[in-house]
Every structure is written in structure tokens, then in C-alpha cells.
Amino acid sequence: MVTEQKIQMVDLKSQYEKIKQEVDKGIQDVINNTAFINGPAVKEFQKDLEDYLKVKHVIPCANGTDALQIAMMALGLKPGDEVITANFTYVATAEVIGLLGLTPVLVDVNKNTFDINIEAIEKNITPKTKAIVPVHLYGQCCDMEKIMALAKKHNLFVIEDVAQALGADYIFTDGTRKKAGTIGTVGCTSFFPSKNLGCYGDGGAIYTNDDELAAKLRMVAHHGQSKQYVHDVVGVNSRLDSIQAAVLKVKLKHLDTYAAARNRAADFYDKAFAGCKKLITPARAKNSTHVFHQYTLQLVGINRDALREFLSSKNIPSMIYYPIPLHMQNAFKSDRYKSGDFPVTEKLCANVISLPMHTELNEETLKYITDGVLEFCNK
Ligand SMILES: *Cc1c(COP(=O)(O)O)cnc(C)c1O
């Protein structure tokens, strides 16, 4: 019975069982050679990820939040500079902007694809604007071609937050494809365990094709050090440890297979919910592949708490990514914004619900989940 085996939002244990031998060996090798910091596994993973992404430089670091912070530091952003980002995102994106004394300028997102609204970006560009941070939310890319055109016109940096979309392809109008995170000035990702490429602890990376910027990123991540014990700028200490790199090296080989499994689950959900007027299934962007970090529905005329309670009574977990818009969070309150300024974000925060999404979902489980959701909708 499917109900006896606990359904999880993310099933990392079953995924691990299938790659156990290789992962265990990778971890054991690190312990055997005691190269815990900057060991061979880190270099090897870095090279593998550069090849996978077709990007010149990958700079591993300690987590996705650090990746964003290091990127903004290396780009020389200074207090007073304005950075435009999506209101509908995980807090980390705006947090580092605030932490560095920069001014976060929040903008609304698109209703069906959840990505940053291009017109809203353009409207908010001022002489103080220095960077745009598009967030490839839930696993598909923002409209990078339009964002890059705006950035070029106004001479802005583009810092892609690719924490949820590692492996997604952006498809340009002429048909060329590039991996999410390799299009802007710099891309920042997270290897948090539940992310599409997750390690067994914290991890992150920054990507760029710019040699000079890569050197700065490495320097900032490493105590602002240019040579041993020579410190040119005030930096941070942010490293991917060797054990995590060993895990990631194994999992990277499976990333595309994992994305395919996530897409099969998403297709199953889409089909099951297609006839239900109370559910809006997530739209696929035309210019991006989707790696379904999350499968997120919008509810129409349904009490979300009641639905979650009903699902929970059937042992079906669900999550709300994200319940409160950033401009309503105490940490980001500003005279700039008031309730009602971000109609799409505010509506999404009130109406979205994410269902279990991971690499190990089978049809039996998916049917159990969709039957549960539909039973509530049809009541
Ligand atoms: C997870 C996440 C981050 C932060 O990553 P950590 O590794 O947890 O620091 C940043 N941005 C987005 C959109 C995320 O989902």
C-alpha cells in the first residue's frame, strides 16, 4: 500500500540507495586521503560542472546564499547601488542585497510562469541601478534574452539566481541553447540537499565566462587573497568541502536523468489536473526547458489551509513556496512599497501550493496524490 510508505516532498533516501556504492566510495576516498578542504574531489567536480554547463569558470563555495553575496562583492557593488530582483522568491536573493548595504528594488512576476516581469524591471531602472537578479524560479528560466538586452542598454550586471534551475536550458530566438546561469554576467547556484543537484550538507557555486571576474570571485571567496597571505580586498571564507564535492561528482552524472524523472512526474500531475477548473497547472515557458525543482499549482476558489489539512490526513505532504511576499516581511519593509503594489506576487503567495516533487515518484504514488487533491476539489 502506498499509504504505508510515507510520501515525502523530497525522497533523498531512495535516491541514495541507487547510487550508494559510488557515493560511499567517493566519501571514503576523501577520508582516506584526508584532503578535506580543497581536495582533488573539489577540482574534479569543478571541472565536471564546467564541462556540463559549457562555462569557462565554476567557482565552488559554501552555499547558494554565499554565491550571491560573493558575486555582488566581486562585481564591486557599493552601498546606495540599486539591485532589481523578483519579489516572489526565496529570501536569500534579497537578503544578500540588504546585507551588503545595497538597495533591493523588488518587482512583480508573471502570473503563469512565476518569472520576473520584464516591463516591471524596465520601469524600475534608475541612474542608481547597477544589477538585475533574475530568479529562475521552480526550475525554468526567466526571459534571459530580454533581460540581457535591457542590461546592455542600461549597462547593468546580470546575476542569475539559478539555485532552483541547475540543468535547465534557455532557448534563444535563433534556437541556440545555453544552460541556466551561463548567460548573465554571473550565475549563482545552491547544492542544498533538496535542490536538483543536492549534496549531503551545504554547498554552492558561482559560474562565469569572464576570466577577470572569475579571478575576483575566487579571491573574494578566499579571504580576499591574491597570493598566500596577501589580501587585496576584504573577502569571506566560503568553500565547498571535499566530501560534498565527492557526492556532487557522482550525482552530476545523473542530473539529466533526474530532470527527466521530475518531468515525468510533472506531466502526470498536469494530465490528472487538466480537467479541474479549481487548479491552474504551472505553465511552461516557451524559451526554456523545465527541470521542475517544484511542481506548483495555483488554487482558484479553494481554501488552501483546508486542502492542506485534507491532504495531510491522507499522509500527502504539501508546501507553500512562498507564503509571504518580501515587501511584507519585516526585514524588507520600506516606504517604497505598500500592500497592493505587487498584485501578482501577493495573489501567488495566497494561492500557490507545491506538491511532492523528486526523482523517485512512481505512478502509484502520483495517482494517490492526484486522487487526493481531486477528491478535495470535487467535494
Ligand atoms: C535555495 C535558494 C537559495 C539559497 O541557497 P542556500 O544554499 O540555501 O544558501 C537562493 N536562492 C534561491 C531561489 C533558492 O531557492
Side-chain angles (χ1 to χ4, degrees), residues 119-370:
E119 288 84 59
I121 297 177
E122 192 157 23
K123 256 192 235 153
N124 280 279
I125 293 173
T126 74
K128 287 186 179 166
T129 309
K130 288 286 150 56
I132 306 169
V133 186
V135 182
H136 304 314
L137 202 73
Y138 300 154
Q140 66 183 350
C141 298
C142 298
D143 195 339
M144 287 307 293
E145 209 159 348
K146 292 213 177 103
I147 291 169
M148 295 312 289
L150 270 183
K152 194 167 174 207
K153 184 168 155 201
H154 297 275
N155 198 21
L156 308 174
F157 299 123
V158 176
I159 303 164
E160 293 179 71
D161 182 340
V162 64
Q164 301 191 3
L166 206 167
D169 281 333
Y170 182 78
I171 306 157
F172 288 82
T173 320
D174 69 1
T176 35
R177 287 171 174 244
K178 280 190 186 170
K179 287 286 176 203
T182 67
I183 301 154
T185 320
V186 61
C188 300
T189 205
S190 163
F191 305 124
F192 187 83
S194 64
K195 300 280 154 100
N196 287 41
L197 180 62
C199 56
Y200 294 170
D202 272 310
I206 313 159
Y207 341 132
T208 187
N209 284 307
D210 178 331
D211 298 339
E212 209 175 305
L213 179 59
K216 275 195 198 138
L217 290 162
R218 282 199 189 93
M219 183 163 82
V220 171
H222 187 198
H223 300 290
Q225 177 170 298
S226 54
K227 282 194 289 222
Q228 195 166 30
Y229 304 124
V230 178
H231 304 276
D232 289 358
V233 294
V234 175
V236 296
N237 172 27
S238 187
R239 296 184 283 238
L240 177 70
D241 75 64
S242 305
I243 287 181
Q244 301 309 334
V247 173
L248 290 166
K249 195 168 132 57
V250 174
K251 288 185 70 175
L252 178 59
K253 289 188 281 187
H254 300 280
L255 186 61
D256 288 344
T257 314
Y258 290 161
R262 288 170 177 276
N263 269 279
R264 278 197 300 279
D267 289 344
F268 189 102
Y269 281 141
D270 276 357
K271 232 182 248 158
F273 299 141
C276 181
K277 291 201 166 52
K278 295 177 184 169
L279 304 172
I280 302 173
T281 55
R284 314 286 210 271
K286 275 190 218 75
N287 44 14
S288 176
T289 63
H290 207 318
V291 294
F292 281 101
H293 176 60
Q294 299 298 342
Y295 184 88
T296 303
L297 292 166
Q298 293 175 62
L299 305 177
V300 184
I302 289 179
N303 181 318
R304 183 168 68 182
D305 290 340
L307 169 61
R308 293 193 73 199
E309 217 164 282
F310 179 81
L311 293 177
S312 173
S313 75
K314 293 181 168 292
N315 292 317
I316 300 169
S318 62
M319 288 292 282
I320 309 304
Y321 304 114
Y322 298 92
I324 306 171
L326 292 176
H327 73 288
M328 314 274 272
Q329 301 276 6
N330 285 335
F332 299 101
K333 274 208 176 120
S334 148
D335 295 341
R336 264 189 123 94
Y337 316 119
K338 58 182 187 316
S339 166
D341 281 353
F342 302 90
V344 179
T345 295
E346 289 172 34
K347 194 165 174 210
L348 289 175
C349 287
N351 292 306
V352 289
I353 183 168
S354 299
L355 297 179
M357 175 48 81
H358 53 81
T359 58
E360 312 302 312
L361 284 163
N362 58 37
E363 295 222 339
E364 190 191 2
T365 308
L366 287 164
K367 181 155 189 331
Y368 181 78
I369 296 168
T370 52

